[in-house]
Amino acid sequence: MQRGKGTAAATTVTADSERRLGRYRLRELLGRDGEARLHRALDENGQAVALWTIPLARLCADAASLERFRRTAAATAQLSHPAIPAVLASGEHAGTAFVAIAPVTGPTLADRLSDGALGLDDSVATLDRVLGALDAAHRAGIVHGALEAEAIRNSAAAAMVTGFGRAALSAARASRSDDLAAAGRLVERLLSNHVDHPAVSALLERLRERGAFPDAASLRHAVAGLTGTPLPASATAPKRGRRWPVWLGGLTLAGGLATGVVLMNRPAPNLPLPPSSPPAAAMNAPGAAAVPSSPATAPAPDAPRRPPVEAVAQALRAVPCALVTVEETGGRLLVSGTAAGETAEAAVREAVEAAAGGWEHGFDLATADAQFCAPLAGVAAALDANRGVAEPLTAGLATPEVATAEGSGPQLSSGDPLIMEIKAPARPVRVQVDYFTTDGTVVHLLPNPSDSGTALAAGASRRLGDRADGGRHWTIGPPYGSELLLTIATTEPLFPTPRPEQEPAADYLAALVEALAAMPDDAPTALAAARFITTGP
């Protein structure tokens, strides 16, 4: 971030000459398929992804192609199978459609076969993985379209079927029949060296019969029988995946902007049936004494069960290194936000799994650098206290450019002003506003050398960083990524004298924890508001 008016020191800005696509930095070209390109890329957190791209115009020849891309990419992102790499994101940016996929290493099956045929056991194990993945995809309505040895990485129990994300970018239509024909050819290629086994010879003969295997599951069962190892019962049961797209990029097309969305197409959870009514009373037998009856009262219907939003929210409050929320959407739980590091992300998922009570749930989580765990943990008690007050401290972006772009990141780009709107809780406070950058620095936005006015009346609002007000202002500059904005409200200033306007985050955090611990026992509880900001060039 570059500092603004009144600052003597200058910020050195280096040219960012590397190729980018939104949040991704493109590295080497790994391959191509027609107009589609496969790059190794790094996301904003430095994590490697396999990024397929294609000119958006290729998908805009007709409206159906573009819609098919969006629908297929979103559906593929929900596939959950150990042999299918996860689709992490998809969208359109700057005239390019893209699909980001978890990278897979290892030689292709074609490379492996060039060194010699696989043994029968390895061939069967490889086909089991491949056909299992194909069956899962077909049940989800996804077609591969280019199933061949070159699309399979590794072999046997480690085989991975790549290319499902690539299929979303294809304007050509493929069918399940095309996939089944390709699967048959793959079976022939892997088993042709084992025809001395009567069962193999019989299976290859059946492959030549039209309609012998109507789906991938039936072919998989036949292959599994070659070694006498039956498939587990769970292998044929439909599975409901819980992998959700982590991020859907800003969708810019023909000058329009559509915000990222999370698609939820899963069936609603099975709700318990209400207790059945008791059977009608039998008629009295002739001569039996009449039994007085009272008017029947219909039992009150059970209130419909609701997902345990509050229970999950309470569980998430125990994860200090994440800023996440939970809501009910369509009878399911959706947990969204940002976790500081992979450990924090895992803690969020574990907390939700434990508290969800079996309800369907999904995640729309971004992962920021683990360095931001320290400031969040340092003010965890203040953040939790702020969640519990009726009129909390709030601090949000007021930069006009992000008013319609929240969640479609980057939220702020190079040269954008950083403007904040702060609102005090229902009591007078003093505020400390800090901006933690990706390079381990903290910039103190308030107080600063030209503004020591940290006092806010109860419920009062304060705008910070607006040039029109004539005060200190800041603009976004490199390094880019996820950065943290932290606002702390206390009755008295946290520090007797202002900190340096910019200092190492580690030095400041040690002083901050000490200052919070030194607050008088009878002082009102400190409150804090935090949010991540995604910046980019």
Side-chain angles (χ1 to χ4, degrees), residues 103-123:
V104 179
T105 59
T108 68
L109 180 59
D111 293 335
R112 173 65 183 83
L113 292 174
S114 67
D115 294 332
L118 298 181
L120 180 59
D121 287 344
D122 281 351
S123 295

Side-chain angles (χ1 to χ4, degrees), residues 407-432:
S408 60
Q411 295 161 335
L412 292 175
S413 300
S414 179
D416 284 345
L418 176 66
I419 305 174
M420 291 181 60
E421 190 79 31
I422 304 169
K423 185 177 181 182
R427 60 180 171 90
V429 292
R430 298 276 188 156
V431 291
Q432 172 86 25

